[in-house]
């Protein structure tokens, strides 16, 4: 007896069927639980600067990240504040709000090496990234800016949210 030849056209539907069976079993076992709190609405909040550190190496919020916010005045950089992110990877209060939220050039300095050392992450000595600057501008003080920062010991990216 000869076995049927599996063609490309037959392979795709067969693979999809098997994949959906496996996904269904995994979904049932690993189904997320319901939210216990509702997301916080940003409607009607005044303009502000906020940030969110996301540790993509460990798949968690960047809790305990030391951050320094500075503003450029000409070529000089002046420290405005130093903060540490909370368990959600955010700061407890906006970085800039109301009268402090002004147009200009700014820098967030994130302490990656200290963050990963505090978690016992095995890293080369010296680590590839130590302190990472995130430079940005506020041009319109009537708009909110939220900086989402995704990072690993070897790289980072950030984008402007609202």
């Amino acid at each position: 007896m000869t076995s049927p030849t599996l063609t490309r056209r037959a392979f795709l539907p067969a693979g999809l069927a098997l994949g959906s069976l496996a996904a269904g079993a995994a979904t049932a076992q690993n189904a997320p639980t319901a939210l216990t709190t509702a997301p916080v609405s940003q409607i009607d909040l005044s303009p502000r600067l906020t940030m969110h550190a996301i540790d993509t190496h460990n798949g968690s919020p960047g809790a305990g990240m030391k951050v320094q916010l500075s503003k450029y005045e000409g070529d000089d950089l002046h420290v405005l504040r130093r903060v540490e992110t909370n368990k959600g990877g955010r700061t407890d209060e906006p970085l800039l709000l109301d009268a402090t939220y002004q147009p200009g050039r700014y820098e967030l300095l994130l302490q990656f090496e200290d963050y990963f050392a505090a978690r016992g992450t095995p890293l080369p000595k010296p680590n590839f990234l130590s302190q990472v600057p995130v430079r940005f501008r506020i041009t319109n003080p009537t708009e909110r800016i939220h900086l989402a920062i995704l990072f690993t010991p070897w790289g980072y990216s950030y984008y402007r949210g609202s």
Side-chain angles (χ1 to χ4, degrees):
M1 171 179 263
T2 62
S3 56
T5 304
L6 190 57
T7 65
R8 277 190 189 174
R9 292 181 196 261
F11 179 76
L12 181 60
L16 290 174
L18 287 173
S20 65
L21 286 174
T27 302
Q29 293 173 2
N30 300 325
T33 58
L35 289 174
T36 56
T37 59
V40 177
S41 173
Q42 298 291 309
I43 296 173
D44 296 329
L45 291 179
S46 63
R48 59 194 57 218
L49 172 66
T50 56
M51 65 156 293
H52 189 188
I54 304 158
D55 177 353
T56 56
H57 178 70
N58 292 304
S60 64
M65 169 85 65
K66 290 182 176 76
V67 179
Q68 177 180 291
L69 175 65
S70 301
K71 184 177 183 182
Y72 282 95
E73 293 180 16
D75 289 335
D76 296 327
L77 197 57
H78 296 278
V79 176
L80 299 177
R81 62 189 304 192
R82 290 179 176 89
V83 296
E84 188 171 311
T85 57
N86 60 27
K87 67 180 181 177
R90 300 171 188 270
T91 56
D92 289 332
E93 299 173 358
L95 294 168
L96 297 173
L97 179 67
D98 298 328
T100 64
Y101 189 74
Q102 298 293 320
R105 295 184 311 138
Y106 293 87
E107 176 183 286
L108 281 177
L109 187 63
L110 301 120
Q111 304 296 325
F112 282 11
E113 190 166 26
D114 292 348
Y115 169 83
F116 285 111
R119 273 142 199 78
T121 304
L123 299 172
K125 301 278 188 231
N127 189 35
F128 181 64
L129 295 174
S130 177
Q131 298 179 347
V132 174
V134 173
R135 296 183 179 117
F136 60 96
R137 294 180 193 272
I138 296 174
T139 56
N140 184 347
T142 65
E143 297 176 341
R144 277 184 301 219
I145 295 177
H146 177 74
L147 293 174
I149 304 160
L150 295 85
F151 64 94
T152 73
W154 303 278
Y156 66 100
S157 67
Y158 62 97
Y159 62 92
R160 178 192 169 176
S162 62

